[in-house]
Amino acid sequence: MRNRLEALCRDGIAAVAEAQNADALQEVEVHLLGRNGALTAQLKGLGKLSAEERPAAGKLANEVKQALQKALEDRRAAIDKAELEEDLAGNGIDPTLPGSPMPVGGVHPVMAVARELEDLFSSMGYVVWDGPEIETEAHNFDDLNIPGDHPARESHDTIWMEDTPEDGRLCLRTHTSPVQVRALQKFGAPLRVVAPGRVFRQEAQDATHEHTFHQMEGLVVDKGIGVPHMLHAMNSMLEGIFGRKLETRLRPGFFPFVEPGFELDARCPFCKSGCKVCKGSTWIELMPGGLVHPNVLRAAGVDPEVYSGFAFGLGLSRMAMLRYGIHDIRWMMSGDLRFLEQFPA
Ligand code: FA5
């Protein structure tokens, strides 16, 4: 028995040393130590030995098993190391190579400008607030001092939806101004709020007009608010976005929900003597605004004898056009990757 065990150990260690890869080594292991392997066969013979011979043979069988296990373990480590070295030398995979690039999206130019402005206004103490895109006729028009027969409704080319028993006629909001009333009803006065969002109008498209575009409403209501406060807010916004002071001018403008109403123009940031963007005038029409009409304050439950305020409605999509030199607003909603990929994350 002793001789057979010693031979098994010697031949087994030699077979382990000859195995060239993990599969071959696995086969050798099964042959030596498996349930029907060579060592198991020897162990079965132990029972036939005399009581005197059995302890020494059992001890030797154990030592042989340990020696074979050690040889297998060493050989497995050596094979793994050799395979890794082979891979690193260029045979098979090279784990040091960079992986396949993952496609990463960018921030849409309108969203980039919106986020910058949200940060800017937050730093000046404004709340960033959101309103619904499907709006009631009352919020979109009536509460803003635009009654049913008012000609200002025509200019908005409203996309109407069905009537509802609870809220009356619904529409896709034509501007972000209804958020003025919603925010005042929710928070009351005094209040500072900006509300960026999508608006919808049924109108012919061209380089500066879309049916779906973004605006950002601004509203400040407090005691003693006047036109200089509005001008300061508008100019701070332009300076924040363009990184420098722009020359601005105010023209009268009519909106039923402000009195007086204005249009703010800025000196074209792209030229000195006229270009395509400013249509040769050197002025760019940027945003309307004005002092909140007392009827709007009343509709929102705020006493116009105590409080006054200003509001403005920035065309965010047009601001993004100016900011990034985009010559046609229709690119914004095109979903065209050739356009979008120019604005990496
Ligand atoms: C309004 O929508 C008013 N609610 C703005 C306002 C708010 C006035 C608060 C006073 C106080 P207007 O229709 O002019 O006004 O639109 C505002 C801005 O949205 C425009 O200056 C322009 O920059 C942008 N805009 C208007 N129509 C379009 C369009 N079809 N496509 C892209 N931008 C547009």
Side-chain angles (χ1 to χ4, degrees):
M1 175 111 191
R2 164 172 285 279
N3 291 345
R4 282 201 299 275
L5 280 171
E6 282 172 355
L8 172 63
C9 189
R10 200 176 46 246
D11 295 348
I13 287 172
V16 167
E18 271 168 34
Q20 291 307 308
N21 55 45
D23 288 346
L25 191 64
Q26 173 79 10
E27 256 180 55
V28 173
E29 181 170 15
V30 170
H31 173 73
L32 291 174
L33 303 179
R35 207 180 325 144
N36 299 316
L39 185 64
T40 314
Q42 292 300 322
L43 293 177
K44 280 180 189 156
L46 282 177
K48 293 185 191 132
L49 296 177
S50 67
E52 296 81 46
E53 287 172 317
R54 214 177 294 143
K59 184 167 174 278
L60 180 62
N62 235 351
E63 286 166 2
V64 168
K65 186 177 178 184
Q66 281 168 7
L68 290 175
Q69 280 172 334
K70 172 86 174 50
L72 283 162
E73 208 175 284
D74 291 349
R75 185 65 192 139
R76 189 165 291 122
I79 287 172
D80 284 351
K81 187 164 175 258
E83 280 179 0
L84 182 65
E85 273 165 6
E86 227 175 281
D87 286 344
L88 287 174
N91 196 357
I93 56 141
D94 179 352
T96 64
L97 283 176
S100 322
M102 294 279 286
V104 178
V107 179
H108 191 281
V110 173
M111 289 303 120
V113 172
R115 284 184 193 169
E116 266 184 60
L117 287 173
E118 285 173 18
D119 286 351
L120 184 79
F121 280 106
S122 301
S123 74
M124 296 194 287
Y126 285 66
V127 177
V128 179
W129 188 245
D130 202 6
E133 292 181 345
I134 296 176
E135 190 50 281
T136 62
E137 180 174 14
H139 277 113
N140 199 78
F141 293 113
D142 302 87
D143 294 347
L144 291 168
N145 201 31
I146 317 176
D149 55 355
H150 200 290
R153 287 204 181 196
E154 301 304 314
S155 68
H156 277 210
D157 302 306
T158 313
I159 299 168
W160 291 104
M161 308 180 76
E162 75 276 22
D163 289 11
T164 61
E166 318 82 50
D167 296 315
R169 206 143 69 121
L170 299 179
C171 63
L172 294 181
R173 67 175 175 188
T174 57
H175 52 171
T176 45
S177 295
V179 187
Q180 287 183 33
V181 180
R182 286 187 176 274
L184 273 176
Q185 284 172 341
K186 168 111 184 137
F187 300 111
L191 179 67
R192 268 180 265 184
V193 63
V194 284
R198 265 194 317 181
V199 302
F200 311 85
R201 294 183 192 179
Q202 198 166 16
E203 65 179 318
Q205 291 166 271
D206 61 27
T208 52
H209 291 85
E210 255 291 8
H211 52 71
T212 301
F213 57 100
H214 285 74
Q215 289 186 339
M216 181 184 263
E217 197 77 6
L219 172 75
V220 170
V221 174
D222 208 330
K223 290 177 182 161
I225 294 292
V227 173
H229 298 100
M230 181 189 78
L231 272 180
H232 179 263
M234 286 172 155
N235 285 326
S236 305
M237 161 154 73
L238 296 179
E239 209 178 317
I241 282 291
F242 292 102
R244 64 193 160 90
K245 264 196 161 51
L246 293 187
E247 190 187 341
T248 53
R249 71 174 184 189
L250 268 192
R251 287 182 289 119
F254 174 71
F255 299 91
F257 37 97
V258 286
E259 182 57 40
F262 303 100
E263 290 278 357
L264 182 96
D265 299 338
R267 214 30 124 180
C268 179
F270 298 114
C271 70
K272 291 227 172 339
S273 56
C275 66
K276 258 204 312 210
V277 181
C278 63
K279 300 193 178 85
S281 72
T282 76
W283 290 102
I284 293 176
E285 194 182 304
L286 267 190
M287 68 184 124
L291 297 190
V292 182
H293 196 288
N295 286 349
V296 176
L297 293 176
R298 267 187 219 106
V302 174
D303 185 352
E305 299 299 325
V306 180
Y307 289 102
S308 58
F310 69 80
F312 57 83
L314 171 73
L316 256 189
S317 306
R318 290 208 189 145
M319 181 66 120
M321 289 174 75
L322 287 179
R323 173 72 199 280
Y324 295 107
I326 299 164
H327 62 278
D328 195 318
I329 197 170
R330 288 167 289 194
W331 282 113
M332 301 289 195
M333 300 281 296
S334 66
D336 193 323
L337 288 179
R338 289 169 305 171
F339 168 70
L340 295 170
E341 279 168 0
Q342 294 174 50
F343 305 94

